[in-house]
Short mmCIF file of all heavy atoms in Angstrom, two decimals:
data_model
loop_
_atom_site.label_atom_id
_atom_site.label_comp_id
_atom_site.label_asym_id
_atom_site.label_seq_id
_atom_site.Cartn_x
_atom_site.Cartn_y
_atom_site.Cartn_z
N PRO A 7 12.59 11.94 -3.57
CA PRO A 7 11.97 10.96 -2.74
C PRO A 7 12.94 10.45 -1.75
O PRO A 7 12.58 10.12 -0.59
CB PRO A 7 11.54 9.88 -3.71
CG PRO A 7 11.33 10.57 -5.03
CD PRO A 7 12.36 11.68 -5.04
N HIS A 8 14.18 10.20 -2.14
CA HIS A 8 15.10 9.54 -1.19
C HIS A 8 16.10 10.50 -0.61
O HIS A 8 17.03 10.07 0.03
CB HIS A 8 15.82 8.40 -1.88
CG HIS A 8 14.84 7.28 -2.02
ND1 HIS A 8 14.79 6.47 -3.15
CD2 HIS A 8 13.83 6.87 -1.33
CE1 HIS A 8 13.84 5.57 -3.04
NE2 HIS A 8 13.25 5.72 -1.89
N GLY A 64 4.98 19.98 2.42
CA GLY A 64 4.82 19.24 1.12
C GLY A 64 4.96 17.74 1.31
O GLY A 64 5.24 17.00 0.31
N MET A 65 4.51 17.31 2.47
CA MET A 65 4.58 15.91 2.82
C MET A 65 3.20 15.34 2.87
O MET A 65 2.24 16.04 3.36
CB MET A 65 5.26 15.77 4.11
CG MET A 65 5.39 14.30 4.65
SD MET A 65 6.09 14.31 6.38
CE MET A 65 7.73 14.70 5.99
N ALA A 66 2.99 14.07 2.42
CA ALA A 66 1.62 13.50 2.57
C ALA A 66 1.33 13.28 4.07
O ALA A 66 2.20 12.85 4.79
CB ALA A 66 1.72 12.14 1.77
N SER A 68 -0.32 11.05 5.37
CA SER A 68 -0.16 9.63 5.80
C SER A 68 1.28 9.32 6.19
O SER A 68 1.58 8.55 7.07
CB SER A 68 -0.64 8.66 4.64
OG SER A 68 0.06 8.91 3.47
N PHE A 90 -8.76 13.35 18.18
CA PHE A 90 -9.51 13.48 16.94
C PHE A 90 -10.96 13.64 17.12
O PHE A 90 -11.44 13.44 18.21
CB PHE A 90 -9.20 12.27 16.01
CG PHE A 90 -9.71 10.91 16.53
CD1 PHE A 90 -10.99 10.49 16.30
CD2 PHE A 90 -8.72 10.15 17.31
CE1 PHE A 90 -11.32 9.24 16.72
CE2 PHE A 90 -9.25 8.87 17.77
CZ PHE A 90 -10.54 8.49 17.53
N GLY A 91 -11.63 14.15 16.12
CA GLY A 91 -13.03 14.56 16.21
C GLY A 91 -13.05 16.02 16.80
O GLY A 91 -12.00 16.65 17.02
N GLY A 92 -14.18 16.52 16.96
CA GLY A 92 -14.41 17.85 17.48
C GLY A 92 -14.57 18.83 16.29
O GLY A 92 -14.50 18.46 15.15
N ARG A 93 -14.83 20.04 16.67
CA ARG A 93 -15.23 21.06 15.70
C ARG A 93 -14.26 21.11 14.65
O ARG A 93 -14.69 21.30 13.41
CB ARG A 93 -15.33 22.44 16.43
CG ARG A 93 -15.80 23.55 15.44
CD ARG A 93 -17.30 23.28 15.04
NE ARG A 93 -17.68 24.25 14.05
CZ ARG A 93 -17.69 23.99 12.72
NH1 ARG A 93 -17.06 22.83 12.33
NH2 ARG A 93 -18.10 24.81 11.82
P DT D 16 16.20 -3.93 -0.45
OP1 DT D 16 17.17 -4.57 0.43
OP2 DT D 16 14.83 -4.56 -0.59
"O5'" DT D 16 16.01 -2.51 -0.05
"C5'" DT D 16 17.08 -1.56 -0.37
"C4'" DT D 16 16.60 -0.14 -0.24
"O4'" DT D 16 15.81 0.22 -1.46
"C3'" DT D 16 15.50 0.06 0.88
"O3'" DT D 16 16.05 1.12 1.69
"C2'" DT D 16 14.22 0.35 0.25
"C1'" DT D 16 14.65 0.92 -1.11
N1 DT D 16 13.68 0.86 -2.21
C2 DT D 16 13.53 1.91 -3.08
O2 DT D 16 14.16 2.97 -2.87
N3 DT D 16 12.73 1.75 -4.08
C4 DT D 16 11.98 0.61 -4.34
O4 DT D 16 11.24 0.51 -5.33
C5 DT D 16 12.10 -0.51 -3.39
C7 DT D 16 11.52 -1.71 -3.66
C6 DT D 16 13.04 -0.35 -2.41
P DT D 17 15.59 1.21 3.19
OP1 DT D 17 16.84 1.71 4.01
OP2 DT D 17 14.86 -0.02 3.58
"O5'" DT D 17 14.55 2.44 3.12
"C5'" DT D 17 14.96 3.64 2.46
"C4'" DT D 17 13.71 4.40 2.10
"O4'" DT D 17 13.02 3.79 0.95
"C3'" DT D 17 12.58 4.33 3.22
"O3'" DT D 17 12.04 5.61 3.29
"C2'" DT D 17 11.57 3.36 2.66
"C1'" DT D 17 11.68 3.73 1.21
N1 DT D 17 10.96 2.78 0.26
C2 DT D 17 10.66 3.19 -0.95
O2 DT D 17 10.83 4.35 -1.34
N3 DT D 17 9.96 2.35 -1.77
C4 DT D 17 9.68 1.08 -1.41
O4 DT D 17 9.11 0.29 -2.20
C5 DT D 17 10.06 0.66 -0.08
C7 DT D 17 9.83 -0.77 0.33
C6 DT D 17 10.67 1.50 0.71
P DG D 18 12.14 6.53 4.50
OP1 DG D 18 13.48 6.47 5.05
OP2 DG D 18 11.05 6.21 5.50
"O5'" DG D 18 11.86 7.95 3.80
"C5'" DG D 18 12.73 8.42 2.87
"C4'" DG D 18 11.93 8.91 1.69
"O4'" DG D 18 11.33 7.92 0.88
"C3'" DG D 18 10.89 9.94 1.97
"O3'" DG D 18 10.90 10.93 0.98
"C2'" DG D 18 9.59 9.05 1.96
"C1'" DG D 18 9.92 8.19 0.76
N9 DG D 18 9.22 6.81 0.78
C8 DG D 18 9.20 5.95 1.79
N7 DG D 18 8.48 4.88 1.59
C5 DG D 18 8.04 5.11 0.37
C6 DG D 18 7.22 4.23 -0.57
O6 DG D 18 6.71 3.10 -0.28
N1 DG D 18 7.00 4.83 -1.82
C2 DG D 18 7.58 6.05 -2.19
N2 DG D 18 7.13 6.48 -3.44
N3 DG D 18 8.20 6.85 -1.46
C4 DG D 18 8.48 6.25 -0.19
P DA D 19 10.09 12.32 1.22
OP1 DA D 19 10.79 13.32 0.48
OP2 DA D 19 9.93 12.47 2.78
"O5'" DA D 19 8.78 11.90 0.57
"C5'" DA D 19 8.76 11.84 -0.83
"C4'" DA D 19 7.34 11.23 -1.20
"O4'" DA D 19 7.10 9.91 -0.70
"C3'" DA D 19 6.13 12.05 -0.64
"O3'" DA D 19 5.62 12.78 -1.76
"C2'" DA D 19 5.18 10.89 -0.18
"C1'" DA D 19 5.80 9.65 -0.81
N9 DA D 19 5.50 8.46 0.02
C8 DA D 19 5.87 8.14 1.33
N7 DA D 19 5.58 6.99 1.76
C5 DA D 19 4.85 6.46 0.67
C6 DA D 19 4.08 5.26 0.51
N6 DA D 19 4.04 4.31 1.47
N1 DA D 19 3.49 5.00 -0.60
C2 DA D 19 3.52 5.98 -1.56
N3 DA D 19 4.19 7.15 -1.54
C4 DA D 19 4.81 7.37 -0.35
P DG D 20 4.30 13.62 -1.44
OP1 DG D 20 4.29 14.74 -2.46
OP2 DG D 20 4.10 13.87 0.06
"O5'" DG D 20 3.08 12.57 -1.99
"C5'" DG D 20 3.25 12.02 -3.24
"C4'" DG D 20 2.03 11.09 -3.50
"O4'" DG D 20 2.19 9.89 -2.74
"C3'" DG D 20 0.71 11.69 -3.25
"O3'" DG D 20 -0.23 11.36 -4.34
"C2'" DG D 20 0.18 10.95 -1.97
"C1'" DG D 20 0.90 9.64 -2.13
N9 DG D 20 1.20 8.87 -0.91
C8 DG D 20 1.90 9.43 0.23
N7 DG D 20 1.93 8.58 1.17
C5 DG D 20 1.18 7.42 0.68
C6 DG D 20 0.88 6.11 1.31
O6 DG D 20 1.25 5.74 2.49
N1 DG D 20 0.11 5.37 0.49
C2 DG D 20 -0.27 5.73 -0.76
N2 DG D 20 -1.01 4.76 -1.42
N3 DG D 20 -0.01 6.88 -1.34
C4 DG D 20 0.73 7.64 -0.57
P DG D 21 -1.55 12.13 -4.42
OP1 DG D 21 -1.68 12.55 -5.89
OP2 DG D 21 -1.73 13.07 -3.30
"O5'" DG D 21 -2.54 10.86 -4.23
"C5'" DG D 21 -2.26 9.62 -4.80
"C4'" DG D 21 -3.42 8.64 -4.50
"O4'" DG D 21 -3.22 7.79 -3.41
"C3'" DG D 21 -4.83 9.36 -4.31
"O3'" DG D 21 -5.73 8.63 -4.88
"C2'" DG D 21 -4.87 9.42 -2.78
"C1'" DG D 21 -4.14 8.10 -2.40
N9 DG D 21 -3.55 8.05 -1.11
C8 DG D 21 -2.72 9.07 -0.59
N7 DG D 21 -2.30 8.75 0.62
C5 DG D 21 -2.73 7.50 0.87
C6 DG D 21 -2.67 6.68 1.99
O6 DG D 21 -1.97 6.96 3.08
N1 DG D 21 -3.34 5.47 1.92
C2 DG D 21 -4.07 5.16 0.78
N2 DG D 21 -4.70 3.94 0.84
N3 DG D 21 -4.15 5.89 -0.30
C4 DG D 21 -3.56 7.06 -0.25
P DC D 26 -15.50 5.35 15.90
OP1 DC D 26 -14.88 4.41 16.88
OP2 DC D 26 -16.85 5.31 15.46
"O5'" DC D 26 -15.20 6.84 16.43
"C5'" DC D 26 -13.81 7.25 16.52
"C4'" DC D 26 -13.83 8.82 16.61
"O4'" DC D 26 -14.02 9.33 15.27
"C3'" DC D 26 -14.98 9.37 17.48
"O3'" DC D 26 -14.39 9.72 18.67
"C2'" DC D 26 -15.47 10.54 16.63
"C1'" DC D 26 -14.55 10.70 15.45
N1 DC D 26 -15.05 11.05 14.12
C2 DC D 26 -14.55 12.24 13.52
O2 DC D 26 -13.69 12.91 14.02
N3 DC D 26 -15.07 12.60 12.37
C4 DC D 26 -16.02 11.81 11.76
N4 DC D 26 -16.50 12.27 10.53
C5 DC D 26 -16.55 10.64 12.26
C6 DC D 26 -16.00 10.34 13.55
P DG D 27 -15.30 9.76 19.98
OP1 DG D 27 -14.43 9.26 21.05
OP2 DG D 27 -16.66 9.13 19.65
"O5'" DG D 27 -15.59 11.27 20.21
"C5'" DG D 27 -14.36 12.13 20.22
"C4'" DG D 27 -14.94 13.55 19.99
"O4'" DG D 27 -15.27 13.65 18.55
"C3'" DG D 27 -16.17 13.92 20.74
"O3'" DG D 27 -16.03 15.33 21.02
"C2'" DG D 27 -17.26 13.74 19.79
"C1'" DG D 27 -16.64 14.22 18.51
N9 DG D 27 -17.10 13.89 17.23
C8 DG D 27 -17.92 12.67 17.02
N7 DG D 27 -18.27 12.57 15.74
C5 DG D 27 -17.84 13.77 15.15
C6 DG D 27 -17.91 14.15 13.83
O6 DG D 27 -18.49 13.62 12.80
N1 DG D 27 -17.30 15.33 13.59
C2 DG D 27 -16.67 16.09 14.59
N2 DG D 27 -16.10 17.26 14.20
N3 DG D 27 -16.51 15.65 15.86
C4 DG D 27 -17.06 14.56 16.01
P DC D 28 -16.14 15.71 22.53
OP1 DC D 28 -14.88 15.40 23.28
OP2 DC D 28 -17.53 15.40 23.18
"O5'" DC D 28 -16.12 17.38 22.41
"C5'" DC D 28 -14.95 18.01 21.89
"C4'" DC D 28 -15.33 19.07 20.86
"O4'" DC D 28 -15.96 18.45 19.64
"C3'" DC D 28 -16.31 20.07 21.37
"O3'" DC D 28 -15.86 21.36 21.08
"C2'" DC D 28 -17.60 19.76 20.64
"C1'" DC D 28 -17.08 19.17 19.22
N1 DC D 28 -18.06 18.25 18.56
C2 DC D 28 -18.28 18.47 17.23
O2 DC D 28 -17.82 19.57 16.59
N3 DC D 28 -19.13 17.69 16.52
C4 DC D 28 -19.64 16.60 17.10
N4 DC D 28 -20.41 15.77 16.47
C5 DC D 28 -19.30 16.34 18.54
C6 DC D 28 -18.51 17.24 19.17
P DT D 29 -16.46 22.63 21.91
OP1 DT D 29 -15.32 23.54 22.24
OP2 DT D 29 -17.35 22.20 22.92
"O5'" DT D 29 -17.27 23.36 20.67
"C5'" DT D 29 -16.62 23.48 19.40
"C4'" DT D 29 -17.59 23.94 18.31
"O4'" DT D 29 -18.35 22.78 17.88
"C3'" DT D 29 -18.70 24.86 18.89
"O3'" DT D 29 -18.88 25.88 17.91
"C2'" DT D 29 -19.95 24.00 19.04
"C1'" DT D 29 -19.77 23.03 17.81
N1 DT D 29 -20.48 21.77 17.96
C2 DT D 29 -20.98 21.25 16.84
O2 DT D 29 -21.06 21.75 15.72
N3 DT D 29 -21.71 20.10 17.08
C4 DT D 29 -21.75 19.32 18.18
O4 DT D 29 -22.36 18.24 18.23
C5 DT D 29 -21.20 19.92 19.40
C7 DT D 29 -21.29 19.29 20.66
C6 DT D 29 -20.57 21.09 19.20
#
Side-chain angles (χ1 to χ4, degrees):
Chain A
H8 287 141
M65 176 186 291
S68 55
F90 60 93
R93 184 67 189 91

